Amino acid sequence: MPRSIIAGIGMYVPDNVITNNDLTRHMDTSDEWIQERTGIKERRFAHRTKETTTTMGVEAAKIAIERAGITAQDIDFIVFATLSPDYYFPGCGVLVQRAMQMNEIGALDVRNQCSGFVYALSVADQFIRSGMYKNILVIGSEKHSFGLDLTTRGRNVSVIFGDGAGAVVLQPTEDEGRGILSTHLHSDGSEAEILAMYNPGTHANHWKEGLADFDEAEMANMFMSHQMIDNAQLYPNMDGQAVFKKAVVKFPEVIMEALTKNGYQPADIKVLIPHQANLRIAQFVQQKLKLKDEQVYNNIQKYGNTTAASVPIALCEAWQDGKIQNGDIVCLAAFGSGFTWASALIKW
Ligand code: UT7
């Protein structure tokens, strides 16, 4: 059975840099608070009309495809991970197919938030291993800036997130010594609402918190309403501390699962690319696994948390910086809303 290799990788971030001080113009926060709690110094916000989740994904994809030495017409399947799609439906995959004038290939959207890219990579890996496809484009992209409550009311969520995209092209290899060694996917939906955007949705009041202003009959008929806008119920909700506590357990667990499966130890990792959720989480994971500084790649300081885009952006930068060479063991790991968490172990 062939393995998948990352034949090309690319990233795109908007030019528009938003510093922590910029945010203080809109909300009661400070550079000190944000840096101390998250490590973030700045993030990028997409152009409001010229850039979308899809257009950023396409820019990253163009680079990945060129580096793979193929053309957009050689791509035979698209997997697109995002929580901030251009449309409620259809997904961004078909918009990439259109924008890049690809053949009438399959296009799949993955909705697994922070672990979306690792899930998407795993899906693509199975298609390569089974022999079904030969050139799969996997994209993670987010335009968070459009959907954040950039007032003091939403500061616990909105200071964290940034926009950007990353993409890879997966191809099969018969080289036994290389490729994606294994992927590991998990979920626990028992606390799904802890990090969630409830509206617009079809939940019809199954989840009541934050909807207290409505009686059940009224709510059951509502997909979107003026009241939802007035009460800020069209923004993401997050219990940050609860997410943090779970993340610092599940990250090391799923990394160890990948290492153990392949007979490796933490010391064998050349570079760990953790989802860039919060620098403090990454530092906690590093400490727990006794990894050296040079074994963990973080760039949240520059881009904030770009959710499904954070792993491919960090992977791309680490590779561009020469931190990843052929034969190196690279571990990707992510945790987030759902909860879902995942890892992938790659021999580059
Ligand atoms: O990738 C998606 C997954 N998400 C995550 O991984 C997030 C994980 N959690 C976190 O990163 C952290 O919980 C946060 C960075 C979100 C928050 O840090 P925290 O240390 O857990 O702060 P907190 O929510 O407990 O809030 C502490 C205080 C509160 O004030 P009081 O009640 O102590 O007076 C908040 O109101 O900080 C206040 N606060 C802020 N102050 C200034 C919350 N947000 C802000 C802000 N600026 N942006």
Side-chain angles (χ1 to χ4, degrees), residues 27-30 33-34 37-38 114 155-157 159-161 195 238-241 243-244 247 275-278 281 305 307 335-337:
M27 63 185 82
D28 180 14
T29 189
S30 65
W33 190 96
I34 299 171
R37 307 279 176 141
T38 71
C114 303
R155 65 183 180 175
N156 67 317
V157 174
V159 299
I160 300 173
F161 294 102
L195 176 47
M238 179 172 78
D239 177 345
Q241 289 203 7
V243 177
F244 196 106
H275 160 53
Q276 302 292 290
N278 180 324
I281 294 176
N305 178 341
T307 311
F335 174 89
S337 162

